[in-house]
Amino acid sequence: MRKTRFLTIVALVCLSGFDAAQAQQGAPPPAVLVQAAELKPLGARAEFIGRVAAVDKVDLRARVKGYLGPRRFTDGDPVKEGQVVFTIEPDTYQAAVDQKTAQRDAAKAALANAEFQFKRAAELLRSNTGTQATYDQRQSEQLQAKAGLEEAEAALRDAQINLSYTEIKSPITGRVGRAAASPGNLVSPDSGVLATVVTENPMRVLFSVTQRELLEARKAGGAGGEGLAVQLRLADDSIYSEKGKIDFLDVTADPRTDGQIARAVFENKNNTLTDGMTVRVVLEAEKAPTVVAISEAAVALDQSGSYVFVVNDKNVAEQRRVKTGTARDGLLAVSEGLKAGEKVIIQGQQRVRPGMTVAPSQAPAAPSMPSR
């Protein structure tokens, strides 16, 4: 009785296994999307937050006290080096110059008289008709008169300098910003910035790089910016039309962030860049290496690492272990485990097992790398 029951169970198990295999053989192969691996230039790209800074920037301030005269510019005007942009009422300072000029002339006359008296005392002393004491007195008076003239000339120069400060000139060529004071206002050295002049072409962009990023750049031979393409991503996510060049790396690191300041220079012919604006600095190699590239969607990960499913000419899926590298714009570089031209599954691989026959459909071509 037990033997008969055992044979019945064995028969049922065999029949159920046969039915499952028969059902599997009758099911259609899973549909998948495939895409061929391609050789593409694919370089690493890094982005940093940067701040635009003018090459030259000058804050114009009053250096003497007085009432502002007529303004010599309109807000936003281009100005040249040495151009007068503000005036301060000069009358008081011109009067001081006139007074110091008169004092200088008086000191000249006093010196001329002292020198005459000294020469006369020297002649009398040589002819034994004068005394040594008179000679010494005249010599002292001549030296005092010379010192008085020097003092008067110094005072005149000081008055002339103050008079020159009544014309506030731009020390650089650039563009002047908004005026902070109107004509008729009393200004002084304590009044603050009257206007700012910036040189807008070229413009600099400052950004911080970490020590790790700096070490990686040095290993790649580009610590000074050699071989790097530098671009800017603006606030609307567009790429600035002009390419830049790194021209400076700070000599110290910030102990709080462990970062160093790098600086890039950009042409700014259309005044797109403004002093103080925030941008994103995009760095990548000028000559990207050519690598085997596939869609990031093709790569899966398990405990053993990364893998893809490769479909051969017989539409059989093969699991392939790969070593990946740079990821960018939806593409992934594969350094080991895959050759150009091999088809990988980019959609539907969750239904696929190694050795399974699949029904592949060609996916659209991988996106081209955006031009720099």
Side-chain angles (χ1 to χ4, degrees):
M1 183 67 177
R2 289 182 179 178
K3 183 175 181 181
T4 302
R5 182 176 297 176
F6 174 75
L7 292 174
T8 302
I9 293 173
V10 170
L12 290 173
V13 170
C14 291
L15 286 173
S16 63
F18 176 77
D19 291 341
Q22 191 175 37
Q24 184 177 4
Q25 290 178 358
V32 296
L33 280 180
V34 297
Q35 195 174 69
E38 298 183 76
L39 289 174
K40 287 181 175 289
L42 188 66
R45 171 185 285 179
E47 292 196 11
F48 307 88
I49 296 176
R51 183 79 63 182
V52 177
V55 173
D56 291 314
K57 178 179 178 181
V58 177
D59 291 331
L60 302 179
R61 301 172 184 266
R63 302 178 72 172
V64 291
K65 186 176 181 178
Y67 290 96
L68 276 181
R71 190 186 306 164
R72 304 290 183 85
F73 70 95
T74 301
D75 295 350
D77 274 357
V79 295
K80 295 185 179 298
E81 180 180 351
Q83 178 178 333
V84 177
V85 290
F86 288 102
T87 58
I88 295 175
E89 191 175 47
D91 296 349
T92 302
Y93 299 97
Q94 183 61 60
V97 169
D98 295 341
Q99 181 185 24
K100 300 302 180 183
T101 301
Q103 292 174 354
R104 188 269 320 266
D105 293 342
K108 281 184 177 181
L111 177 60
N113 181 61
E115 287 177 342
F116 175 77
Q117 295 297 333
F118 175 61
K119 288 179 182 179
R120 185 177 181 184
E123 292 174 356
L124 293 174
L125 183 63
R126 282 195 298 269
S127 63
N128 294 322
T129 57
T131 63
Q132 182 67 41
T134 301
Y135 173 84
D136 293 341
Q137 178 66 26
R138 297 294 180 264
Q139 185 181 37
S140 174
E141 291 171 353
Q142 186 251 4
L143 293 175
Q144 290 177 10
K146 184 182 292 185
L149 176 59
E150 291 174 353
E151 183 180 3
E153 288 177 338
L156 175 59
R157 285 196 300 271
D158 182 63
Q160 290 171 335
I161 290 172
N162 287 333
L163 177 61
S164 71
Y165 289 160
T166 61
E167 290 186 336
I168 302 175
K169 301 177 181 179
S170 173
I172 61 173
T173 296
R175 195 157 63 95
V176 63
R178 179 176 57 86
S182 300
N185 282 285
L186 181 65
V187 295
S188 70
D190 297 328
S191 298
V193 178
L194 300 179
T196 301
V197 180
V198 297
T199 301
E200 294 189 313
N201 188 29
M203 293 290 271
R204 291 170 173 164
V205 177
L206 305 177
F207 59 99
S208 178
V209 295
T210 64
Q211 291 301 304
R212 177 178 179 179
E213 291 162 338
L214 185 58
L215 290 172
E216 290 175 352
R218 283 176 172 158
K219 290 178 182 177
E226 305 88 354
L228 290 177
V230 188
Q231 289 187 294
L232 298 180
R233 192 181 301 278
L234 303 178
D236 61 355
D237 207 37
S238 64
I239 295 295
Y240 181 54
S241 58
E242 299 290 340
K243 295 180 181 178
K245 181 177 69 173
I246 294 178
D247 72 334
F248 173 74
L249 181 66
D250 205 351
V251 295
T252 59
D254 188 334
R256 296 170 299 176
T257 63
D258 201 32
Q260 279 182 250
I261 296 298
R263 186 179 71 195
V265 180
F266 292 83
E267 290 293 322
N268 189 34
K269 298 175 182 177
N270 297 325
N271 295 331
T272 302
L273 304 180
T274 304
D275 180 70
M277 72 184 293
T278 301
V279 294
R280 294 192 68 85
V281 183
V282 182
L283 299 182
E284 58 183 308
E286 288 184 342
K287 296 181 179 179
T290 300
V291 296
V292 177
I294 60 174
S295 170
E296 287 186 281
V299 181
L301 190 66
D302 61 12
Q303 293 181 348
S304 300
S306 301
Y307 69 91
V308 297
F309 280 111
V310 178
V311 178
N312 61 20
D313 294 339
K314 297 181 179 180
N315 294 338
V316 175
E318 171 194 350
Q319 189 183 53
R320 189 83 59 82
R321 294 289 170 180
V322 293
K323 186 176 181 180
T324 59
T326 300
R328 179 179 157 189
D329 301 318
L331 297 178
L332 187 63
V334 177
S335 57
E336 293 181 12
L338 198 63
K339 296 179 181 179
E342 291 188 299
K343 296 180 180 179
V344 296
I345 299 177
I346 64 170
Q347 184 176 321
Q349 56 265 61
Q350 66 275 10
R351 300 188 300 272
V352 178
R353 298 293 178 269
M356 179 181 291
T357 299
V358 296
S361 298
Q362 185 66 38
S368 300
M369 295 300 297
S371 59
R372 292 192 294 266

